[in-house]
């Protein structure tokens, strides 16, 4: 007799359509800034802000601080809302929230998030870490540039595209 085991794996949820066809449009971030559905997740040193209800704090493009790096994460599957990750510098992070205790790491606060928000945080964190560790070309050592809405780093010296590992 076989027993079925049901697992609750919130980080395995597919919360976003990564919308890869939109990434190559040069005007994508301009389009997203004018879209009233766009939500911006601000990240600082691998941390994000949460609301009083322990949900991810999203900003509108108009209220988000300037970004050091922007990544288009995709559209939510449930509502089709575009999600942009903005990685900010310390001065901009302190301007929106000076209390460092209010910035949350995934390991500290991820368990309290919905499975959709945990998946968004996880994908954003994975891409932020990838960008940090792939700033330079592994072949020639020159700095790479961000392309395709944050999903490609490009070595101009070798005309080589570098992609993040993306698991389903």
């Amino acid at each position: 007799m076989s027993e079925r085991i049901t697992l609750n794996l919130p980080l395995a949820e597919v919360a976003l359509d990564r919308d890869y066809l939109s990434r190559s449009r040069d005007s994508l971030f301009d389009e997203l800034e004018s879209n009233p559905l766009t939500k911006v997740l601000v990240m600082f040193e691998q941390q994000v802000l949460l609301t009083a209800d322990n949900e991810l704090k999203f900003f509108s493009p108009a209220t988000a601080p300037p970004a050091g790096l922007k990544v288009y994460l995709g559209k939510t599957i449930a509502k089709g809302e575009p999600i942009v990750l903005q990685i900010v510098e310390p001065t901009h992070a302190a301007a929106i929230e000076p209390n460092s205790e209010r910035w949350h790491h995934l390991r500290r606060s991820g368990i309290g998030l919905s499975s959709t928000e945990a998946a968004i945080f996880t994908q954003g964190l994975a891409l932020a870490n990838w960008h940090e560790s792939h700033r330079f070309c592994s072949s020639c050592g020159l700095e790479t540039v961000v392309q395709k809405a944050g999903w490609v780093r490009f070595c101009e010296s070798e005309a080589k595209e570098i992609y993040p590992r993306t698991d389903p």
Side-chain angles (χ1 to χ4, degrees):
M1 179 171 170
S2 112
E3 291 184 37
R4 289 192 99 181
I5 297 175
T6 304
L7 298 176
N8 180 16
L9 302 171
L11 298 182
E13 179 178 325
V14 178
L16 295 171
D17 167 2
R18 293 181 181 162
D19 193 18
Y20 73 95
L21 293 174
S22 297
R23 295 183 207 155
S24 59
R25 293 198 313 262
D26 291 335
S27 62
L28 178 61
F29 285 116
D30 292 331
E31 295 167 26
L32 293 170
E33 283 184 22
S34 65
N35 184 337
L37 297 176
T38 300
K39 292 180 169 185
V40 178
L41 180 63
V42 174
M43 186 174 285
F44 166 66
E45 294 183 353
Q46 302 180 339
Q47 302 169 90
V48 299
L49 294 170
L50 301 180
T51 67
D53 296 328
N54 203 38
E55 297 174 344
L56 291 178
K57 181 173 183 177
F58 290 103
F59 293 81
S60 71
T63 61
L69 173 67
K70 287 184 184 181
V71 178
Y72 173 52
L73 296 179
K75 298 183 282 191
T76 60
I77 289 178
K79 297 181 183 176
E81 299 163 316
I83 306 292
V84 175
L85 173 69
Q86 289 193 189
I87 300 169
V88 298
E89 301 297 324
T91 54
H92 295 116
I96 60 170
E97 181 50 69
N99 182 350
S100 62
E101 291 297 313
R102 296 211 171 158
W103 289 93
H104 296 265
H105 287 278
L106 179 62
R107 289 186 178 172
R108 174 179 156 199
S109 303
I111 194 72
L113 297 174
S114 70
S115 58
T116 298
E117 289 191 341
I120 291 170
F121 191 170
T122 302
Q123 183 174 324
L125 180 59
L127 282 166
N129 288 336
W130 175 75
H131 278 285
E132 182 62 30
S133 65
H134 288 78
R135 289 181 36 224
F136 299 94
C137 176
S138 62
S139 299
C140 71
L142 292 178
E143 192 163 3
T144 58
V145 294
V146 178
Q147 292 185 342
K148 297 190 181 175
W151 285 83
V152 173
R153 293 202 67 109
F154 185 74
C155 174
E156 293 174 333
S157 168
E158 298 187 5
K160 179 170 89 174
E161 292 182 334
I162 304 161
Y163 294 91
R165 175 181 169 173
T166 56
D167 296 326

